[in-house]
Amino acid sequence: DEAAIVHAQQVLREEEPKQQARDELTKLVMVGATIEALEAALNRAKKANLSSEESVVAQAEALLRAEREKARLSEAVSKVLEESKDVDMGDVSALKEAKAALQAAVHAAKEAGVAEDSLRGAELRRRRLHNAVEDLRVRPLSRREKENGDTQVTTQMDNMTLQMEFNSTKTNYSFD
């Protein structure tokens, strides 16, 4: 009957774009996708009147939010990394602060699923900052040294000055 054929064609015109949108979203959700690809596919799904309550749409929207968060956190790592390049390498407090900021940014990015490869430069910089802190630090005596009767002969006066005591004579050394 002609009316049934017309109705079927109308249903096909409505449902075919929806199914194509479902298929595209399913593929993107399964393989992972860029923000741009997810946004484009979700726009096509919306134009096809695909309900946002459908499982695959919800999954794609969740993936899009996660990818946007990873991008935001990657940008935050890059910003903190760039800022850390201006830190005074002779200032222990500034080094510790820069190291902590970088460590927090990298940790948040890792938690969000940012690829470790893209964080390699930030991790390297964090290790360099850590080593710089260690280089500037005055090590306290170990328990064994104390038990052997050794005494502390160095005192860190500030971030730039070290005081050494030898035969009851104290001498300050300043570093820049």
Side-chain angles (χ1 to χ4, degrees):
D1 141 340
E2 186 68 27
I5 292 173
V6 169
H7 177 68
Q9 289 173 336
Q10 176 61 29
V11 168
L12 184 61
R13 277 192 299 276
E14 290 177 18
E15 291 301 318
E16 189 173 34
K18 288 181 182 180
Q19 188 58 45
Q20 289 172 343
R22 283 185 198 100
D23 292 344
E24 181 181 15
L25 290 174
T26 299
K27 180 182 175 187
L28 292 175
V29 167
M30 288 178 60
V31 299
T34 65
I35 291 171
E36 295 78 17
L38 286 165
E39 287 173 338
L42 284 166
N43 283 335
R44 284 189 287 279
K46 185 177 180 180
K47 286 179 184 174
N49 293 320
L50 196 59
S51 171
S52 61
E53 294 178 12
E54 287 203 33
S55 169
V56 70
V57 174
Q59 290 172 342
E61 288 173 340
L63 181 58
L64 178 59
R65 283 190 300 276
E67 291 302 315
R68 284 179 174 157
E69 181 66 3
K70 288 193 301 189
R72 184 187 72 76
L73 291 170
S74 289
E75 183 61 33
V77 168
S78 295
K79 182 179 181 223
V80 173
L81 176 60
E82 200 57 38
E83 289 170 355
S84 77
K85 293 178 181 176
D86 294 331
V87 71
D88 180 355
M89 296 301 281
D91 183 343
V92 174
S93 297
L95 286 167
K96 285 181 178 179
E97 186 178 308
K99 176 189 156 202
L102 199 51
Q103 188 170 359
V106 167
H107 177 75
K110 283 182 181 178
E111 288 291 311
V114 174
E116 300 251 350
D117 286 353
S118 67
L119 300 173
R120 196 167 285 135
E123 278 290 352
L124 179 62
R125 179 69 179 161
R126 185 201 57 77
R127 281 194 302 271
R128 285 185 180 148
L129 292 171
H130 172 80
N131 289 339
V133 169
E134 293 299 308
D135 290 346
L136 295 174
R137 180 174 78 87
V138 174
R139 181 182 66 80
L141 293 176
S142 69
R143 185 185 51 162
R144 184 174 179 204
E145 289 169 327
K146 289 177 184 176
E147 289 171 356
N148 288 339
D150 294 340
T151 58
Q152 187 75 37
V153 296
T154 57
T155 305
Q156 186 169 351
M157 304 305 288
D158 58 34
N159 290 331
M160 306 295 277
T161 309
L162 180 69
Q163 184 178 78
M164 292 187 64
E165 184 176 347
F166 185 71
N167 293 333
S168 299
T169 302
K170 294 181 180 181
T171 307
N172 288 345
Y173 296 93
S174 294
F175 302 91
D176 55 1

